[in-house]
Amino acid sequence: MRLYEFEGSALFRQEGIAVPDYAVTASPQEARQKAQEIGLPVIIKAQILVGGRGLAGGVQTADSLEQVGEVVHRILDRPIKGFPVHRVMVAQKVEVEREFYLGVTVDGYSGTPMVILSAGGGVSIEEVARIHPEQVASRQIPITKGLSLSEAQEMAQEVGLEQEELEQVASTLHILYDVFRKYDALVTEINPLVRTSKGRYLAVDAKVEVDDASLYRHPDFQVALEDRILNALERKGHQIGVTYVDLHGQIGIIASGAGLGMASMDIINQRFRPANFLETGGAISAELLYKIMDLVLQKKGLKGIFINLYGGINPIHDGARGIVSYIREHKITIPIVAKVLGNRQEETWEILKQQGITVVTEVATEKAVEQLAQLLEGEK
Amino acid sequence: MSILLSRETRVLVQGITGRAGRAQTKWMLEYGTNIVAGVTPGRGGEEVEGIPVYDTVTEAVVERGAEASVFFVPPASVKAAALEAIEAGIKLIVIVTEHVPTHDAMEIRAYAKGQEIRLLGPTSPGIITPGEAKMGIMPGNMFTAGRIGVISRSGTLAYEISADLSAAGLGQSTVVGMGADAVVFTNMPELLELFENDPDTDLVVIVGEVGGIQEEKATHFIAHRMAKPVIAYIAGRSAPEGKRMGHAGAIIHGNMGTSQSKVTALRQVGVEVAEYPLQIVELVRRRLIRMKEVPNGTEDNQGIL
């Protein structure tokens, strides 16, 4: 789960990383008042979870209170990449003398936290690493030992920092690693950390992503997860406990297992366009499949549905009942092809067939997609 | 014995008294798995499907000689249970549990490092040596015994591809579900090495998917240290950028983790990559025929003894 910048900033401040004075607001009036308290000039930043907000006009400077009002109004008024902006951050504009990049992330392949430090910040870290590799230091950290302050200092030294700068950046990196561990983060990143003309070190951006699987031990974040899923159908998927990914085609997909779902999508994509990816998770029941049908059918312009399920301890016959009752109640007439295998498969096939669903008993997904193609192309 | 698991392996089920633990224990026993004990803290003295339940892994090891453990433990308890199993001297751990916190997975992996133990998962469907034994939730009827090794990042897709192979008379030596999370305990090259050294495996099929760099990293091993042929399929060619496709590890970041990146890397080291799952069968069959046609001395036949 990504945190909003203002949430990340609050977390940083709480854990001992200094950030510029800021306020969060949803109104131009309040923004002006806050700007006055903070002191002009200020930077107004759209609080959204999609990347590239700067280029889309979501980050702007204001030198006067009138301008604060105007800018805030404009940013709140205009969606960024199709998503509405509900809040802005009004932050003190600081005079920057130097920028640094600090990041902690999960190195999936080595299975360790990875700490990255760069003496050049503000731009993408990949870019700095390519042009000035000597300015970038990275380390895999043995998680049972953690990152010590002296190791952070070594890294700061590696990228050419000295004295006060070395001390300040290393100590911030050390805290950033602790924030990563304490909050079960997948990413904690400061891009950039700045040294101001007054010699202060401030995190002027805050990127934090918390591991969804760990939210049970961070109840403060747990309540907020759902609100952050921007796509309405994907949000609904999350509410009913499945993974739904909204796509642009006409064939609805319902699959158990992510790999099988992706393979179904790839095969269907040869001839048609998938309308969605949907992975049922392990809790198949009549009720869940009923809700899944309802979700998939909310997509406009659907021409067919492709169901690809395996049942182990999952009662697929029960799931089939949910599918059938949805079709009956809502008088669904678009073609549906189902390949459903596993425990009690014969019984499951009977239930589906009686409702007019085309049942494929072969194992290969390709064969089932051929059936769907015949149904759809036969209709033309 | 194929790799990691045989009919002799003495298997422990951790979390045996839960709903999934009970049901899967029954099916693993029916398949022929040598389950010797179960563990659920506080439930010692009970029995599940005739299998004695202990409070601790150490008891199961001492009393019943357990050497491998399969997990049906809830996510929040996986770390403690895994550390306990490692401490007790278990040599193979298969974690079926989904949604294990990433930091816990990193800690378990760090703890196991340098010890003589193999872990699979989290979010692994398990491991099966067809005709002998299975640990996990793979449906036995999709697999047949044979000489193809399968390494999969996914569960149900591994079943389907194994069943496709089985239907064509191409049985499997061992099918390994390596787990679908961003951090897994055993990386792909290590599994390739096990199959490379296994006299009962002639060829390896990789069932990969978008996200991460497992397949890219595997190419180095394939190019330099692998004589047996490898055939692959990568799911998610049509997956959009930036979305988690049902597995925690299946997410494309920019150009990283795309199907194209993996397919290109694999093809560069001579791996034939199927466009669609069923095509694997044809690629495997053709490759095996080529191996038989060249009886001596070339790279192609080193797998057959």
Side-chain angles (χ1 to χ4, degrees), chain B residues 83-126:
Chain B
L83 299 193
E84 186 193 347
I86 296 168
E87 193 74 7
I90 294 289
K91 297 294 174 228
L92 171 67
I93 294 178
V94 178
I95 298 183
V96 174
T97 313
E98 280 182 72
H99 308 301
V100 174
T102 306
H103 283 233
D104 290 1
M106 290 195 286
E107 283 187 58
I108 295 168
R109 190 162 146 176
Y111 195 80
K113 201 175 175 182
Q115 307 206 38
E116 230 181 273
I117 182 168
R118 175 74 56 196
L119 291 102
L120 298 173
T123 318
S124 165

Side-chain angles (χ1 to χ4, degrees), chain A residues 17-254:
Chain A
I17 297 173
V19 301
D21 281 348
Y22 71 90
V24 183
T25 175
S27 93
Q29 267 94 343
E30 198 190 18
R32 287 165 63 138
Q33 196 189 321
K34 296 292 181 188
Q36 192 154 33
E37 287 165 27
I38 291 165
L40 292 164
V42 291
I43 296 189
I44 318 278
K45 300 193 264 188
Q47 297 298 290
I48 51 166
L49 296 172
V50 290
R53 65 177 178 179
L55 291 173
V59 179
Q60 293 182 39
T61 302
D63 299 310
S64 67
L65 292 182
E66 290 67 42
Q67 217 184 343
V68 169
E70 280 166 32
V71 168
V72 170
H73 185 80
R74 203 166 9 162
I75 290 180
L76 289 172
D77 207 35
R78 204 178 48 191
I80 291 181
K81 297 188 175 173
F83 297 107
V85 180
H86 298 300
R87 278 168 297 217
V88 296
M89 180 192 257
V90 179
Q92 176 193 16
K93 185 176 186 337
V94 293
E95 241 175 86
V96 176
E97 289 215 325
R98 187 165 184 191
E99 300 189 328
F100 312 90
Y101 169 97
L102 288 71
V104 186
T105 171
V106 173
D107 179 354
Y109 191 76
S110 72
T112 61
M114 165 98 96
V115 176
I116 305 166
L117 172 64
S118 165
V123 287
S124 94
I125 183 68
E126 292 81 7
E127 196 69 7
V128 181
R130 200 167 55 80
I131 304 167
H132 294 292
E134 77 287 353
Q135 288 189 5
V136 179
S138 67
R139 282 192 190 187
Q140 292 170 355
I141 307 300
I143 193 164
T144 44
K145 282 173 53 201
L147 175 76
S148 68
L149 183 58
S150 65
E151 282 173 304
Q153 288 167 341
E154 279 169 34
M155 290 182 72
Q157 213 162 16
E158 263 176 64
V159 301
L161 305 188
E162 292 176 327
Q163 299 171 6
E164 158 100 21
E165 240 173 23
L166 182 149
E167 294 295 329
Q168 290 285 341
V169 171
S171 122
T172 308
L173 188 61
H174 186 234
I175 299 172
L176 190 67
Y177 180 84
D178 288 345
V179 174
F180 173 84
R181 286 289 285 140
K182 181 172 173 183
Y183 293 95
D184 273 292
L186 300 177
V187 179
T188 52
E189 185 183 274
I190 306 174
N191 189 20
L193 176 77
V194 304
R195 190 187 77 216
T196 69
S197 53
K198 291 183 181 140
R200 295 188 68 203
Y201 289 79
L202 301 173
V204 302
D205 195 3
K207 181 175 169 186
V208 177
E209 183 178 357
V210 178
D211 182 12
D212 291 352
S214 75
L215 290 178
Y216 71 89
R217 52 193 183 204
H218 303 284
D220 291 356
F221 296 141
Q222 197 168 15
V223 291
L225 177 58
E226 208 172 279
D227 305 338
R228 304 173 190 240
I229 304 172
L230 298 171
N231 180 293
L233 294 176
E234 292 176 5
R235 190 162 54 240
K236 182 140 191 268
H238 180 79
Q239 283 162 356
I240 65 172
V242 303
T243 304
Y244 180 99
V245 176
D246 196 7
L247 303 168
H248 304 294
Q250 303 84 35
I251 308 299
I253 295 174
I254 299 170

Side-chain angles (χ1 to χ4, degrees), chain B residues 172-195:
Chain B
Q172 305 89 46
S173 51
T174 302
V175 179
V176 185
M178 58 185 285
D181 291 1
V183 172
V184 292
F185 300 125
T186 299
N187 288 332
M188 206 176 267
E190 299 165 62
L191 294 170
L192 285 169
E193 186 171 17
L194 294 176
F195 278 124

